[in-house]
Amino acid sequence: MALHKKFFIVPVVVGLLGIFPATIVVAQKNYSKVIAEVAGEKITAGEFMRVFRKNNPDTVFSQESLREYLDLYVNYRLKVKEAIIKGLDTTRSFREELAGYRDQLARPYMIDESATEQLVKEAFDRSRKDLRASHIMIRLDKNAPAADTLLAWEKITNVRNQLLQGESFAEVAEDISEDQSARDRDIGGRIIPGNKGDLGYFGVFDMVYSFETAAFSLKKGEISNPVRTDYGYHLIKLTDERPALGQVLVSHILLLNPQSAADTASLRARAMMIYRKLIEGADFAELAQTYSDDRATADNGGQLQWFGVNRMIPDFIEQIYKLEKPGDFTLPFKTSFGWHIVRLIDRKRPASFGEMHTELKDRVNNDERASLVEGMIVQNIKKEYGFRENRNMLVPFYQMLTSAVFDGSWQIPAGAKLDGEMFRIGNRRVFQKEFAQYLTTNQKPEMAIDIQIYVGGRYKKFVDETLLKYKDQQLENKFPEFRALMNEYHDGILLFDLTDREVWSKAIADSTGLERYFTENQYQYIWPTRIQASVLSVPGDDTKAIGKVKELLAGEVSVSDIPAMMGQEEITLLADHKLYSKGDNSLVDQAEWKPGVYIIPGKPDATHIVIMHKVIGEQPKQLAEVRGIVTADYQNYLEKKWIAELRSKYPIKVKYGLLSALK
């Protein structure tokens, strides 16, 4: 059976070089002419040639090739016309399938590749450095009302003024910052020292983007202006900047701080004793197993997982920066956890831009940076299509929305007048009623916030989505190549669906029609002269074994019994009483095609015995033997019959005379 599937040819860009201007003018004039009218649809020579070039990029132009393809194209347009007449383009399955293809095709037009690349390059540049910074935070909910935002702004601004007057950043952070890690905390009876605002080392993608951007714009020792994030307002002080550490693999020995302060000196002495053993050549892994208090890693020689600068406390990271090559180890150093000795096993330096590009682009597209790109796209749409808005149209929503919207049950008030124009984009006017419907559709149970902030946030999303949708709807008008490709997908889906119904599936399901076709055309399905043969394989050129086989055959022993009767496992039955046509088997082809026993020398390690049993002359094939071939032929028959019916059903006019000018 023939295998059929939807097949859309990828557009081929045809470069035409060395064409004189006069030739171009003549070609354009000819291309604008109508070369065919099919069921009322006019097909220009230009449209025909575009499709011809695309689907036959390597075909030599000739009158014959153009005429042949024009006839095929007319058949194609007839089938599409029939599909539309039958309403196949109105079915749900068709609309959903076409929409799926359109989403894929539209995606490249809906992104700002230059903006994405700009952010990728920025991320790469930042990946070359590690920063260490401290911050002071004044908490503020991202949906806080204007009054609360103003209070937080005034508070963070006053704090910055204190710092600029010389007050200690660490002391102010410990006293004022609303990041609780700045102060000592009692966790389960153990005092965790506060970091006084110190965030340690970090790199690109380790912080929220606005915080990261502010930090990377600072010089060492500089304090930022207030920075807004979803967590609140921050003041950032850059305390260190180093070339990027990359990823490191280390092993360590940890001596935990004792419960008693009196034991601190002895702990340092113990750390120095271990260090002296390392200097004298002791094995680091064995010392870790013996002395380290980090029992989770001690049994593995103290080895940690690969990590970057943001995964360890800054005192630990500072020591790793000093290790230059694998095998180097640190002096004993103290942190809030205890005494450490760290040995470098391996390091992965940051890769080149080319090596990192794909990873960076993926992270940009899945990071909050993606919303920046979308914001740039929205701004470009506003400029391109002349966005105008009237924000006063939001005022009625401040009154009509109730707390019900926060449990997802708000309804548009009966009698509400919502005919005010909120904004325009191109030739599209958007009214309050659309926004109200958007609010009801997109409400969901969530934490209650100030109504004006809620409306403002929803309005921004509504505008962005409307503008992006408007841009998407303009693609066919703005990009001829997109419109042409969408038309091809539209027609291709229709063609497949209707051909499947009229030809492919019909040929398979119509068993009566298939049998009738086979009976009427049985002369096409004839077995040629065949022979019934068996084949045995004998090791090497064992004349004794060959003679024995012949003797058994003369005694009318069944061929299949011979290997067992010979008592030699090497004698193999390759085939028994099979039917062969010429070309089916090289061994059988070498024998004379009449009953008898024939010795066919094989490879040096085998000889073949071909037993020709019976010659069978030409005879008709049975349907079961050739069903796949007959089904394919029946499909071709149905398609030719169908095309003939379509050509008689719809009016067709073709101007073959234009082909010579096009060639």
Side-chain angles (χ1 to χ4, degrees):
M1 184 186 73
L3 177 64
H4 299 274
K5 65 179 180 179
K6 298 177 192 177
F7 183 66
F8 299 102
I9 301 175
V10 176
V12 177
V13 178
V14 180
L16 302 176
L17 304 178
I19 300 179
F20 294 100
T23 308
I24 295 174
V25 172
V26 173
Q28 289 175 340
K29 183 178 179 181
N30 287 326
Y31 276 22
S32 65
K33 293 179 179 179
V34 175
I35 196 170
E37 289 187 42
V38 180
E41 176 191 3
K42 293 183 178 181
I43 301 169
T44 65
E47 177 190 349
F48 167 68
M49 287 305 295
R50 179 185 63 80
V51 177
F52 177 84
R53 283 196 183 108
K54 182 176 180 179
N55 294 329
N56 302 275
D58 301 321
T59 300
V60 177
F61 279 58
S62 68
Q63 192 81 0
E64 182 181 356
S65 65
L66 287 172
R67 185 184 181 103
E68 180 182 349
Y69 195 79
L70 181 56
D71 287 338
L72 291 174
Y73 191 62
V74 167
N75 293 341
Y76 172 76
R77 299 310 313 167
L78 283 169
K79 293 175 184 177
V80 172
K81 179 70 174 181
E82 180 74 355
I84 292 173
I85 292 295
K86 289 181 177 294
L88 267 64
D89 59 336
T90 64
T91 65
R92 179 178 177 180
S93 61
F94 169 81
R95 294 197 304 269
E96 289 178 350
E97 185 171 5
L98 184 62
Y101 284 122
R102 192 184 186 285
D103 286 344
Q104 296 176 38
L105 294 173
R107 201 166 296 146
Y109 295 88
M110 296 299 294
I111 62 175
D112 189 336
E113 195 63 37
S114 62
T116 301
E117 282 301 313
Q118 182 180 336
L119 289 169
V120 169
K121 182 61 169 59
E122 177 189 76
F124 173 75
D125 292 340
R126 291 179 181 178
S127 74
R128 306 291 97 182
K129 294 191 294 185
D130 294 333
L131 305 183
R132 184 175 182 178
S134 296
H135 84 135
I136 295 170
M137 180 175 73
I138 300 302
R139 287 195 177 276
L140 182 67
D141 188 85
K142 64 179 180 180
N143 295 315
D148 291 349
T149 302
L150 179 60
L151 288 174
W153 169 262
E154 290 175 346
K155 187 173 183 179
I156 199 75
T157 302
N158 291 334
V159 172
R160 187 171 190 273
N161 290 334
Q162 290 178 242
L163 296 171
L164 294 179
Q165 291 170 10
E167 292 195 34
S168 165
F169 195 100
E171 291 178 2
V172 174
E174 186 177 24
D175 184 43
I176 294 177
S177 180
E178 294 175 7
D179 178 352
Q180 296 303 312
S181 67
R183 288 173 286 283
D184 293 352
R185 288 158 293 155
D186 186 340
I187 300 179
R190 182 180 178 186
I191 300 299
I192 304 298
N195 60 27
K196 302 182 188 302
D198 185 3
L199 296 171
Y201 288 93
F202 58 89
V204 65
F205 296 112
D206 288 338
M207 300 292 185
V208 295
Y209 182 70
S210 55
F211 191 101
E212 174 194 304
T213 297
F216 273 92
S217 68
L218 296 173
K219 296 177 181 178
K220 189 174 178 178
E222 190 176 3
I223 298 172
S224 72
N225 286 311
V227 178
R228 184 75 160 91
T229 72
D230 285 349
Y231 305 100
Y233 280 111
H234 309 256
L235 295 174
I236 307 169
K237 180 179 181 180
L238 186 64
T239 57
D240 196 11
E241 179 180 311
R242 295 175 182 263
L245 178 67
Q247 294 285 310
V248 293
L249 181 65
V250 304
S251 51
H252 81 135
I253 297 171
L254 168 64
L255 304 180
L256 286 171
N257 282 329
Q259 297 294 327
S260 170
D263 295 330
T264 301
S266 62
L267 194 67
R268 179 183 182 281
R270 191 179 180 204
M272 293 305 298
M273 176 270 293
I274 297 170
Y275 179 72
R276 283 193 296 272
K277 288 180 179 290
L278 287 170
I279 294 294
E280 292 168 0
D283 183 73
F284 193 99
E286 291 180 1
L287 292 175
Q289 290 172 356
T290 303
Y291 294 107
S292 181
D293 291 331
D294 181 2
R295 301 320 301 172
T297 64
D299 291 341
N300 193 31
Q303 182 173 316
L304 301 169
Q305 299 291 325
W306 284 92
F307 63 87
V309 292
N310 67 319
R311 298 298 300 275
M312 296 292 179
I313 58 175
D315 293 342
F316 195 92
I317 293 296
E318 279 190 333
Q319 297 297 322
I320 294 176
Y321 280 121
K322 300 174 184 178
L323 302 176
E324 297 182 358
K325 61 182 184 299
D328 288 353
F329 50 85
T330 66
L331 284 163
F333 63 93
K334 191 176 185 305
T335 72
S336 57
F337 295 98
W339 285 86
H340 309 256
I341 302 174
V342 179
R343 176 178 178 271
L344 180 64
I345 299 174
D346 198 2
R347 185 199 307 268
K348 296 176 184 176
R349 297 286 186 182
S352 67
F353 182 70
E355 293 168 328
M356 294 182 69
H357 184 270
T358 300
E359 177 190 351
L360 290 173
K361 189 171 183 178
D362 287 344
R363 296 194 71 173
V364 164
N365 287 332
N366 290 288
D367 182 64
E368 58 184 315
R369 289 164 170 80
S371 62
L372 296 177
V373 176
E374 184 175 293
M376 295 177 192
I377 294 172
V378 168
Q379 289 304 314
N380 290 336
I381 296 171
K382 288 180 176 180
K383 292 177 184 177
E384 182 176 1
Y385 294 103
F387 176 75
R388 288 176 292 168
E389 68 176 338
N390 182 359
R391 294 187 68 91
N392 289 332
M393 293 295 105
L394 288 174
V395 173
F397 292 96
Y398 301 153
Q399 282 89 45
M400 74 172 67
L401 253 74
T402 67
S403 59
V405 77
F406 299 117
D407 59 28
S409 62
W410 180 75
Q411 297 292 324
I412 301 172
K417 293 184 178 181
L418 298 169
D419 52 2
E421 182 179 308
M422 302 193 78
F423 61 87
R424 293 186 184 187
I425 180 68
N427 58 6
R428 170 112 156 78
R429 301 169 67 192
V430 180
F431 297 90
Q432 289 171 314
K433 185 176 181 179
E434 288 184 59
F435 180 51
Q437 189 59 51
Y438 178 85
L439 290 173
T440 59
T441 302
N442 291 276
Q443 63 182 325
K444 59 184 179 181
E446 58 186 303
M447 184 180 296
I449 60 174
D450 182 85
I451 287 292
Q452 289 195 24
I453 292 175
Y454 177 84
V455 170
R458 285 293 187 270
Y459 175 70
K460 181 183 183 305
K461 288 185 178 180
F462 174 64
V463 170
D464 289 353
E465 290 175 17
T466 303
L467 266 57
L468 289 168
K469 185 176 181 180
Y470 184 81
K471 175 182 172 69
D472 180 84
Q473 292 168 339
Q474 304 310 306
L475 294 179
E476 280 83 355
N477 297 327
K478 187 175 181 181
F479 301 102
E481 72 279 7
F482 180 82
R483 180 175 63 252
L485 197 54
M486 279 304 303
N487 287 338
E488 289 179 25
Y489 273 77
H490 172 278
D491 295 348
I493 297 170
L494 289 177
L495 180 65
F496 177 87
D497 290 344
L498 187 58
T499 305
D500 183 55
R501 178 191 297 183
E502 298 292 334
V503 177
W504 302 328
S505 294
K506 182 177 180 179
I508 296 170
D510 183 13
S511 57
T512 302
L514 182 69
E515 290 173 3
R516 182 171 58 251
Y517 174 82
F518 175 71
T519 301
E520 293 172 355
N521 296 274
Q522 196 166 11
Y523 65 90
Q524 298 181 33
Y525 309 103
I526 302 296
W527 285 115
T529 297
R530 294 174 294 168
I531 195 159
Q532 193 178 67
S534 300
V535 182
L536 289 165
S537 177
V538 178
D541 57 355
D542 189 339
T543 55
K544 184 177 179 181
I546 294 171
K548 179 66 173 175
V549 170
K550 287 184 173 182
E551 182 183 328
L552 291 171
L553 289 170
E556 298 186 355
V557 173
S558 172
V559 176
S560 61
D561 293 335
I562 289 177
M565 295 179 69
M566 293 285 291
Q568 299 182 38
E569 294 180 2
E570 293 83 355
I571 296 179
T572 306
L573 178 64
L574 300 181
D576 186 23
H577 284 74
K578 286 187 65 175
L579 277 173
Y580 294 97
S581 300
K582 282 287 187 181
D584 287 350
N585 185 287
S586 61
L587 296 173
V588 174
D589 287 349
Q590 292 178 60
E592 191 174 353
W593 274 49
K594 64 180 183 180
V597 178
Y598 302 90
I599 307 303
I600 308 297
K603 296 179 181 178
D605 59 345
T607 299
H608 298 102
I609 303 173
V610 177
I611 305 99
M612 297 296 209
H613 300 291
K614 181 171 61 174
V615 176
I616 301 172
E618 291 185 355
Q619 61 180 190
K621 295 179 179 179
Q622 299 301 308
L623 179 58
E625 296 174 311
V626 287
R627 182 174 291 275
I629 296 172
V630 176
T631 301
D633 291 345
Y634 186 45
Q635 288 174 340
N636 292 333
Y637 163 78
L638 289 175
E639 183 160 17
K640 289 177 182 177
K641 181 182 176 184
W642 180 38
I643 290 172
E645 292 170 353
L646 293 177
R647 281 181 171 268
S648 64
K649 179 178 181 180
Y650 296 106
I652 302 170
K653 295 179 182 179
V654 182
K655 298 178 182 178
Y656 292 107
L658 263 180
L659 294 177
S660 58
L662 296 178
K663 183 173 77 69

